[in-house]
Each structure stands twice: as structure tokens, then as C-alpha cells.
Amino acid sequence: MDPDTEKAISFSGQPTATDPLPSARPTTSFLENLALLTRLETRGIERVLPSESTVTLTWRSYLQAFVLWVSINLAAVNITLGMLAPTVFGLGFTDAAWCAVSGSVIGSAAVAYIATWGPKSGCRTMIFARYTMGWWPGKLVVLLNLIVLLGYALIDCVVAGQILSAVSPNGSMSVIVGIIIVAVITWMVTTFGIRVFHYYERYAFLPQLIVICILYGISAKNFDLTTPSLGDPATVAGNRLSFLSICLSAAITYAGVAADYFVYYPPSTPRFQLFAMSLLGLSTSFALALISGIGLATGIPSLPAYATAYSTSQGALLVTAFAPLGAFGRFCAVVIALGLIANLIPPTYSSGVDFQLLARRAARIPRWGWNTVGVVIYMVCALAGRDSLAEIFTNFLALMGYWVAVWIALTLEEEVLFRGWWGGRGWEWADWDRREKLPMGLAALTAFLIGWAGAVLCMDQVWYVGPIARLVGDYGADADGKLCRVFVGCGRVSAIEMAGIAEVWEVNILLEEIGLHEDISYGA
């Protein structure tokens, strides 16, 4: 067998003697032959064994991690997110910039932390979540993650469609056509799998970086750097906290997929280096995109052209910012729009893996089959919600960030208290699909629900303001992401104290003592 074919088979995840779940893969010879012929990655949720690692650790490996996150985040969707600070929360440039950078760095740190588990475990992110949440509670986390992934993809499609429509002559291309274009291109890239994924992201940042630098150059003179935030001190403080929370949520939701893209790195990958390069790539790209959006929005009150464009859509404001460059400006706007494909690829790819985790039978359908389902779902939703982007941003982003913050807190507790730092039981990665070896997750589920309850008390949404959030300023403040971690910590401790045997290692010790360990059935 020639080396290229051998590598394709290894990368696509054909069954090996040590693989615990051959039934999870497509079993028809047609699909296997198609995968080999087209170099599709057929591996789905199966753990990547150390012998199957395809990445050789060099400085390029760490640079790839940095570039990957820059390509993903240096996107128009984050520019339009920055626009919310002046237009929705009434923040001045300085306040908004500080909140954007602070929130995105905090959220990015969580993402970088989860990314380090990819090489260490060889497991996809939501497989790794089983070690924290248990088998059945872990499916709840998978379902929430799918909602996040498809929701973000929806937002990307709408922004891309708005830009392509605004840049077309007299708006001749509808937003609908723009949405379909970016969705189809994304589907084509994700169908081929992780190798094409990484190759695309390796270079996608270059045109984006050039165009965003041009955007700064042409529009910075219109930024309003002096007007202060609106409202009394308490209201300003609440608006700062709310916008910081949205930026934190925009970043932290990548934690649900971060390990997926590094499972082919060897287990010997130093965690600090991967963490540092991921954090640097995430925080740098978020800062560049968010601050440019903040600056553009500060110019809306003083520039009628900006105000008119923003009344049409956030995408139209981006196109208007490039207007002084004429035809070249329209070209730059098209580059910005197509750059959203780099932001669409990760949630689309990871949704295919997450769908497989919902049930055993779902795992028999190839990842690229589920990718197709995901693309259809978010494309249809984008077509339906194309006129409500700001509402989707302000309600969806913060709401979905709640559960991720809870899960991150639980994961840190799991590593520090129960498995690693303080002499815990360690990680048995070979048990990734052995239900009887994984935690029951009773304590984690209890803490998860308590954390959600804390988030409800602290949330500030258009349709609901919690009693704690209502105490801040005239409009409340979205404090959930910060305070829910306190509820999680207290909830986990309380649940363990009440349950006593809530985690599987405690159950196994008890059952082994009375000789019943082998007689326990965990169901289908």
C-alpha cells in the first residue's frame, strides 16, 4: 500500500484492533469505498489512539493552532457583535473596547483550556464531557452544544447574506441568495473532514487580516473616541457588565468544540504551549474584530450615511464603511462576507460529530451525513430569521453562554479535585464508550442544574430580567456568567455530600466491597 493511501485510511479512521466501537462507523462497503476514493474523513466520535496521531510536533504545529483561531474569529460576525456596544448598550468607545477585550480574553482562556484536552485524550470535546457529566447527563450537554453550533452558524449566514446583498448593484442579490452561497461552500469544505478543514483555516486569515486593516485605515477617522457612555453610573455599570457578558459568551461557546480540532496531535503535546497559542490567537482576533465594530457604530450618530446603512442591516454598515474606496471597497466587502466561511466551518464540522453522540444508531450515520443535516437546519433557520439579527445576537449569545460557563466550572473541579492535581483517580481514556466505567454524573447534573438556577437569577434578557440582575441600574445587568460559577461550586459540593456515591468511582468501591460489581447492568 502506498504511503498516501495508508495515511488516508489512518486519517479517515478505519477500524483497528483496539477500537472499542466498530459499530459506530458506517458499515456499508459503498461508503467505505467512497471515502477512500474521495479522501473523506469517515472518523466520527471514535477516539484517536496515540498510534493514529498524524501531527508531528514542530513550531509549525503550534503556529497552526494560533492561525486556526485567528482565521475562525477574524470574521464579520464579530465586527457586527462589536456594533451592539454603542447602539444597544449606549457605551462609549473606551468603555466598550475595555469590555470587549476583557470579556473575550476571559472566554478565550476557557476555550484554550479545553483545547489542550484534544491531544491528551484523543477524544472529541463532547466525548470528553462524559468524564465530567456522565453518560446520560452528557447527552444533555451535547444537545445544548448542538443548539449553540447551529445558532452561531445561523448568525454567520445572515451576516454574510446581508453583506453580499448590500454590495450587489442596487441590492440585486437578495439576502436569501447570499445565505445559500456561504452555506453550500461551507458544506463542501466540511464534508472532506479535518485535513481540508485545517488546510483551509491555515490560509483563510490572510485576506481577512488585510481587509480588516484596510477597514481600520479607511474608517478610523470616523470613530467617536470622546463621547462618554450614556446613563447614570449604576446604569453604565450594568451596561458594561451586559456587553462584557455577551463578548465572554461569544468566546466561551467555542469551548464546546475546542478539543475537536487537536485530537490528531500526539498525547505528548505540551499543554501550556497549546494553551498559550490558542489563547493568543483567540484574544488577538477577537480584539481586532470587536473594536472595529465598536468604532464603526460610534460614528452612526454623526454620519447620516452610517445611520442609513445601519437602519438597513449591520452588514450594510460594513459595506458603507468601504464605500470611499469605490469598486475596490465593494471587493473588500465581498472578501469580508466570504471570510465568514472560515467561521462557519468549525460549528458545521463539529455538529456532525455531536449528532452522532445523541444515540448509538445516530453514530452509524457518517459525520459528513450529519454535517449535511446541520447545514440544512441552520440554512433554513437563517432564511427565516434574516431580518432579526440584532435580537438573535442579544438574546441567543448570552443565553447559550450560561451552560458553557457551568460546564467549564465542572470540568475544572473534575481535574483539580477528583482526577489529577490532588492525587485523584486519573483518566482512563480507553473507557470513553464504556457506560459502566463512566461516572453516573448525579453530582455533576445536580450542580449543573443549580448553576442554571443561579444563571436565571442573574440573567438580563429582553424577555426576562432576574431578581439579582434587576438590582443594577435602570436596565439591569447580565451577571449570570460570573455568578453561576459560584452556584456551580456550591452545588457540586452539596450534591456530593448528599449523594455520597454520586460518582462512579465511589459506586465501584462500594460494589466491589459487597461483591456485586459485575452484576450491575447500566441499561441500553
Side-chain angles (χ1 to χ4, degrees):
M1 183 182 296
D2 65 73
D4 288 338
T5 304
E6 184 176 1
K7 185 175 182 181
I9 293 176
S10 171
F11 204 89
S12 65
Q14 300 303 316
T16 65
T18 57
D19 198 323
L21 186 60
S23 63
R25 291 197 177 90
T27 56
T28 62
S29 59
F30 171 76
L31 292 179
E32 291 175 352
N33 292 333
L34 178 64
L36 287 174
L37 181 65
T38 59
R39 300 286 182 99
L40 294 178
E41 180 200 12
T42 58
R43 181 187 294 275
I45 61 175
E46 302 86 356
R47 179 183 173 229
V48 178
L49 302 176
S51 60
E52 295 177 310
S53 300
T54 59
V55 175
T56 302
L57 283 182
T58 65
W59 64 269
R60 291 185 179 88
S61 307
Y62 301 114
L63 182 62
Q64 173 65 22
F66 170 80
V67 168
L68 170 72
W69 294 116
V70 172
S71 293
I72 291 171
N73 284 313
L74 209 58
V77 66
N78 291 322
I79 298 176
T80 56
L81 174 60
M83 294 177 185
L84 299 180
T87 58
V88 174
F89 298 103
L91 295 177
F93 182 89
T94 302
D95 279 345
W98 273 109
C99 292
V101 172
S102 301
S104 60
V105 168
I106 296 170
S108 297
V111 179
Y113 165 69
I114 295 298
T116 64
W117 289 102
K120 185 178 177 65
S121 67
C123 296
R124 308 287 186 168
T125 311
M126 290 294 101
I127 287 287
F128 167 66
R130 289 176 174 176
Y131 289 83
T132 300
M133 297 295 299
W135 183 274
W136 292 112
K139 292 183 184 295
L140 171 63
V141 175
V142 172
L143 184 60
L144 290 171
N145 199 47
L146 274 170
I147 295 172
V148 169
L149 298 178
L150 299 180
Y152 270 101
L154 179 162
I155 293 172
D156 281 338
C157 283
V158 172
V159 173
Q162 288 179 350
I163 296 173
L164 291 175
S165 175
V167 79
S168 62
N170 300 317
S172 55
M173 176 188 290
S174 69
V175 175
I176 294 175
V177 175
I179 288 172
I180 294 173
I181 288 173
V182 295
V184 170
I185 295 175
T186 301
W187 173 80
M188 293 172 62
V189 174
T190 55
T191 294
F192 285 92
I194 198 71
R195 191 189 308 181
V196 177
F197 171 106
H198 274 286
Y199 188 83
Y200 185 94
E201 301 289 0
R202 186 179 305 159
Y203 302 104
F205 81 97
L206 284 171
Q208 291 295 100
L209 180 61
I210 293 171
V211 169
I212 287 181
C213 288
I214 293 173
L215 176 63
Y216 272 103
I218 197 66
S219 64
K221 64 184 180 217
N222 299 320
F223 291 4
D224 182 357
L225 306 180
T226 58
T227 300
S229 300
L230 302 177
D232 59 78
T235 299
V236 171
N239 289 337
R240 287 170 181 163
L241 189 57
S242 294
F243 182 63
L244 184 147
S245 182
I246 286 181
C247 293
L248 187 154
S249 297
I252 202 173
T253 43
Y254 284 117
V257 299
D260 292 5
Y261 316 132
F262 302 101
V263 292
Y264 289 99
Y265 278 56
S268 59
T269 304
R271 293 185 71 184
F272 177 77
Q273 283 89 324
L274 183 57
F275 172 87
M277 295 305 289
S278 296
L279 177 60
L280 184 62
L282 283 159
S283 56
T284 302
S285 53
F286 266 120
L288 282 172
L290 289 169
I291 293 175
S292 65
I294 292 168
L296 287 175
T298 60
I300 291 175
S302 59
L303 294 173
Y306 277 22
T308 301
Y310 189 78
S311 66
T312 301
S313 68
Q314 288 93 331
L317 175 56
L318 259 175
V319 174
T320 301
F322 285 113
L325 299 178
F328 179 69
R330 291 192 293 275
F331 170 77
C332 290
V334 172
V335 172
I336 283 273
L338 296 180
L340 280 161
I341 294 171
N343 195 263
L344 260 172
I345 289 172
T348 305
Y349 174 86
S350 293
S351 68
V353 176
D354 287 0
F355 272 118
Q356 292 183 319
L357 286 168
L358 293 177
R360 292 279 191 180
R361 291 183 179 180
R364 296 177 181 271
I365 300 175
R367 175 200 54 78
W368 49 270
W370 283 119
N371 282 154
T372 305
V373 172
V375 168
V376 172
I377 290 173
Y378 69 64
M379 184 170 63
V380 171
C381 291
L383 294 175
R386 62 187 183 275
D387 297 324
S388 305
L389 182 60
E391 290 80 3
I392 295 172
F393 258 136
T394 53
N395 294 321
F396 173 79
L397 280 185
L399 184 63
M400 286 297 101
Y402 300 164
W403 81 263
V404 184
V406 174
W407 175 62
I408 292 293
L410 289 171
T411 302
L412 282 168
E413 287 183 1
E414 188 75 20
E415 180 179 14
V416 175
L417 299 179
F418 303 114
R419 292 187 184 267
W421 291 9
W422 290 356
R425 62 195 183 281
W427 308 84
E428 293 294 338
W429 301 121
D431 296 338
W432 68 273
D433 199 50
R434 297 173 183 170
R435 191 179 315 152
E436 70 279 3
K437 296 290 186 180
L438 292 168
M440 288 183 178
L442 299 180
L445 178 60
T446 302
F448 189 83
L449 296 176
I450 292 174
W452 261 97
V456 170
L457 295 175
C458 305
M459 84 170 47
D460 176 23
Q461 300 296 324
V462 173
W463 41 270
Y464 174 77
V465 179
I468 295 178
R470 197 179 295 118
L471 300 175
V472 184
D474 294 337
Y475 308 109
D478 202 20
D480 51 86
K482 280 64 65 181
L483 295 182
C484 70
R485 293 169 176 79
V486 177
F487 289 97
V488 169
C490 297
R492 185 73 180 273
V493 172
S494 299
I496 292 174
E497 288 177 348
M498 290 186 294
I501 57 171
E503 299 298 336
V504 72
W505 66 278
E506 296 168 327
V507 176
N508 287 341
I509 290 173
L510 178 62
L511 294 176
E512 286 170 358
E513 287 177 353
I514 62 176
L516 294 178
H517 183 269
E518 298 299 327
D519 298 329
I520 297 296
S521 172
Y522 285 78

